Amino acid sequence: MGTQASNVEMKTGEAANYRICVRCIMDTTIPGITFDEAGECNFCKLHDKLDREYPLNEKGQRKLDKLIRDIKRKGKNRKYDCILGISGGRDSTYTLYLAKKVWGLRPLAVHFNDGFGNPVAGENMLRTTRKLGVDLRTITSDWRESKDLKIAGLKSSTPDIELGTDIGIATALYGVATKEKVQHILFGQSFRTEGICPLSWNYLDGKYLKAINKQFGTVPLRKWTPTDPGFNLDIFQVFYYTIIKGIKTIPVLYYVNYVRSEVDQIIKKELDWVYTGAHYYDDLFQSLLTYVFRVKFNEDRRKFNYSALVRSGQMERSAALERVKGVYVIEDQKVIDLCIKRLGLTREELDEYIARPPKKFYDYPNHYHIIKKFKPVIKILCKLNILPGSAYDKYFNCGD
Ligand SMILES: [Zn+2]
């Protein structure tokens, strides 16, 4: 493993025009990275822009207070006033804690299960929801469908192997919100600790998923109904949930001074939360993904994660640089073997998919041309919290 890591390092280091940001650790392995005269990257600029939009001062606090008031008012006569997506990991556990204990909301916790959950995270969810007195609803995807989408993702040769899961999570939340007549969906993501993934490393588009399914899948996607959406999230469904149903999706941690080490202390003490061993390790499939990203695409996603921590003063830049030198611990060959087996593949088949020439989302049918046409509309929808505040930046401000 050590040799493979240094190979990748050599590959990136060898490139004559290799460059790294002077402030974070984003470098020219990131598609669409640009640098200003001072050597600072466009992702740092995006961080500063978000930091101005979601300031950690009185003005920011007033915005958060208003948001909480709105959620309470809209959900007044309902059993729940918000839906909160959880995975058992740190971010969503803390978001649930804030929502219930600090802000006094009445959330329904929703978990999307596609068959690869880490048992440690599963126990976290049961324990923390019980301790907080929050109902937990698990939406289990059709196993044949979700397995087939993962294999189709591998065959498509793009980094969007988890596209099905990403869309499944979104539709699970929209479906439950519609069923429970709740208009606010909260999720625990923070640009201050996680950063935003470059567009072509993680591109979300329902038409794209359909195209991958059509070309590489063996199981047709289940039909859409408002409360049981399956893997359908095309422009029509987005319009239905956001405009017709008026459902808002809010990254609430943007409003909060999220300091990872402090949060760990709080949720361990208050909720007996257990660390899964690595960020994103609430999902065992991340082990296989991290491996494929590295060996096939020369993508190290810790770069945007650690860069976020460096910008918000939670990690030293030198420590971040040191850490990305080695292979990420999440790449556990035993877990990778388990994932392969669960998908019904052989190691040879996986190796064959990895060996295929890499592609990106724009090599397949997608709706990016329409998304681009609606750029000003998307900006407004994000401002109004109808789409998550990060969506605009994700599509238009995150490299290519
Ligand atoms: Zn930077």
Side-chain angles (χ1 to χ4, degrees), residues 20-27 33-35 39-45 47 307 311 317:
I20 184 163
C21 174
V22 293
R23 180 172 159 201
C24 69
I25 64 161
M26 299 291 261
D27 61 17
I33 193 165
T34 56
F35 300 93
E40 222 175 85
C41 77
N42 49 332
F43 291 87
C44 280
K45 294 270 178 305
H47 172 95
S307 288
R311 289 181 208 114
R317 185 172 179 274

Side-chain angles (χ1 to χ4, degrees), residues 36-56:
D36 68 8
E37 321 75 59
E40 222 175 85
C41 77
N42 49 332
F43 291 87
C44 280
K45 294 270 178 305
L46 173 58
H47 172 95
D48 293 341
K49 178 185 149 267
L50 289 170
D51 205 39
R52 284 191 299 274
E53 281 171 28
Y54 299 90
L56 298 173

Side-chain angles (χ1 to χ4, degrees), residues 59 100 114 128 135 141 176 225 303 307 396:
K59 198 180 155 211
K100 172 81 192 199
D114 72 346
T128 54
D135 289 346
S141 67
V176 174
T225 70
K303 284 178 186 168
S307 288
F396 304 113

Side-chain angles (χ1 to χ4, degrees), residues 1 4 281 287-288 290-292 294-295 327-341 347 350-351 354:
M1 261 205 285
Q4 279 170 328
Y281 214 22
S287 195
L288 184 142
T290 309
Y291 170 71
V292 177
R294 177 173 65 84
V295 298
V327 171
Y328 195 15
V329 288
I330 207 167
E331 268 187 46
D332 180 332
Q333 288 304 320
K334 267 201 262 141
V335 179
I336 294 172
D337 285 338
L338 178 104
C339 292
I340 296 171
K341 207 173 141 201
R347 191 81 193 196
L350 178 71
D351 290 342
I354 291 174

Side-chain angles (χ1 to χ4, degrees), residues 85-97:
I86 66 164
S87 66
R90 176 196 290 115
D91 303 347
S92 61
T93 303
Y94 182 59
T95 310
L96 189 67
Y97 170 84

Side-chain angles (χ1 to χ4, degrees), residues 166-367:
D166 290 343
I167 287 188
I169 293 171
T171 53
L173 296 170
Y174 276 133
V176 174
T178 305
K179 198 170 187 177
E180 296 295 334
K181 300 186 170 61
V182 172
Q183 284 186 303
H184 287 92
I185 295 174
L186 312 185
F187 66 100
Q189 219 173 50
S190 171
F191 67 92
R192 292 189 176 92
T193 53
E194 195 173 352
I196 299 182
C197 186
L199 185 67
S200 65
W201 282 11
N202 174 240
Y203 174 73
L204 203 74
D205 178 334
K207 185 182 178 183
Y208 175 38
L209 184 69
K210 275 188 194 153
I212 300 284
N213 172 253
K214 205 171 160 196
Q215 196 166 337
F216 302 103
T218 57
V219 182
L221 292 182
R222 230 164 0 115
K223 288 258 177 306
W224 176 80
T225 70
T227 54
D228 182 18
F231 291 94
N232 302 287
L233 192 64
D234 216 327
I235 287 174
F236 167 73
Q237 281 85 14
V238 173
F239 181 79
Y240 176 83
Y241 290 121
T242 58
I243 309 298
I244 310 235
K245 287 282 155 190
I247 299 170
K248 297 180 172 188
T249 304
I250 303 158
V252 272
L253 289 184
Y254 278 30
Y255 297 86
V256 176
N257 188 15
Y258 188 90
V259 179
R260 209 173 255 181
S261 50
E262 290 171 12
V263 164
D264 272 7
Q265 295 294 319
I266 296 171
I267 57 177
K268 276 179 189 164
K269 189 166 155 264
E270 303 261 332
L271 305 173
D272 295 331
W273 176 80
V274 178
Y275 185 44
T276 52
H279 195 232
Y280 296 139
Y281 214 22
D282 36 21
D283 170 20
L284 292 179
F285 199 66
Q286 294 294 327
S287 195
L288 184 142
L289 285 177
T290 309
Y291 170 71
V292 177
F293 293 153
R294 177 173 65 84
V295 298
K296 175 166 182 146
F297 299 101
N298 188 26
E299 282 177 19
D300 187 342
R301 298 184 176 215
R302 290 172 300 175
K303 284 178 186 168
F304 70 82
N305 291 151
Y306 294 169
S307 288
L309 291 167
V310 170
R311 289 181 208 114
S312 59
Q314 300 188 43
M315 191 186 276
E316 293 286 339
R317 185 172 179 274
S318 55
L321 285 169
E322 198 50 44
R323 279 211 207 179
V324 291
K325 277 186 187 162
V327 171
Y328 195 15
V329 288
I330 207 167
E331 268 187 46
D332 180 332
Q333 288 304 320
K334 267 201 262 141
V335 179
I336 294 172
D337 285 338
L338 178 104
C339 292
I340 296 171
K341 207 173 141 201
R342 211 172 271 184
L343 288 177
L345 297 175
T346 61
R347 191 81 193 196
E348 289 70 34
E349 282 171 305
L350 178 71
D351 290 342
E352 194 262 307
Y353 300 147
I354 291 174
R356 293 182 185 183
K359 293 193 172 180
K360 289 286 170 71
F361 74 86
Y362 38 74
D363 294 315
Y364 292 98
N366 64 72
H367 269 152

